[in-house]
Amino acid sequence: MGNVPMHPKPNWNEIRERAGNFPPQAYQFVREGLGHTARLVHGERGESHLEATGTDEGGRHVSGQQLCLGLKDYALKQYGLLARTVLTHWGIQRTEDFGRVVFAMVEAGWMRKTQEDTPEDFEGVFDFDDVFGTLRPGESRLS
């Protein structure tokens, strides 16, 4: 997956129809998490290439599984023990939700994919309860 420049005025209604009712913050998180993942997978040159060109040419592609693992790492770095709370607040409760956000961004022209990339790449990559702990609706990590 690679990112491309964001369009200035996203049509959130269209995007939500495709992906679900995820807020703009979830899309920004995935976009930033892609840079984090490219850095993990390809080193600093991976992220800088994505930022400079908006493409994943030159072997800097990350798979759906790699992106999910990178997003997990990014969430824990950004939010620590509150990672599950933040993701749940955005409606992201499993790796398939990351895939729905990614493919909505691909359809909107904000990210690119290869012909081999599919939504199935995001299925069951990890269990949110195992990684972030269990959180019941309305419960906060601060309780």
Side-chain angles (χ1 to χ4, degrees), residues 91-108:
I92 297 175
Q93 298 184 42
R94 51 197 187 127
T95 57
E96 290 85 344
D97 294 332
F98 288 143
R100 291 172 44 208
V101 169
V102 165
F103 276 86
M105 292 173 78
V106 167
E107 289 179 27

Side-chain angles (χ1 to χ4, degrees), residues 9-64:
K9 293 226 176 197
N11 184 335
W12 290 114
N13 291 332
E14 260 183 48
I15 292 169
R16 286 180 174 157
E17 282 177 24
R18 285 187 220 131
N21 198 25
F22 301 110
Q25 295 90 337
Y27 295 90
Q28 185 63 31
F29 170 81
V30 168
R31 183 173 167 80
E32 292 170 3
L34 174 62
H36 174 80
T37 304
R39 212 174 27 255
L40 290 174
V41 173
H42 302 292
E44 292 298 325
R45 67 183 179 87
E47 182 183 31
S48 61
H49 181 79
L50 283 169
E51 288 175 354
T53 66
T55 71
D56 56 8
E57 295 168 3
R60 290 164 184 83
H61 176 265
V62 296
S63 70

Side-chain angles (χ1 to χ4, degrees), residues 102-123:
V102 165
F103 276 86
M105 292 173 78
V106 167
E107 289 179 27
W110 296 346
M111 292 178 78
R112 294 186 184 155
K113 69 175 194 73
T114 67
Q115 289 184 336
E116 292 80 31
D117 292 323
T118 67
E120 290 77 23
D121 297 337
F122 293 85
E123 290 180 4

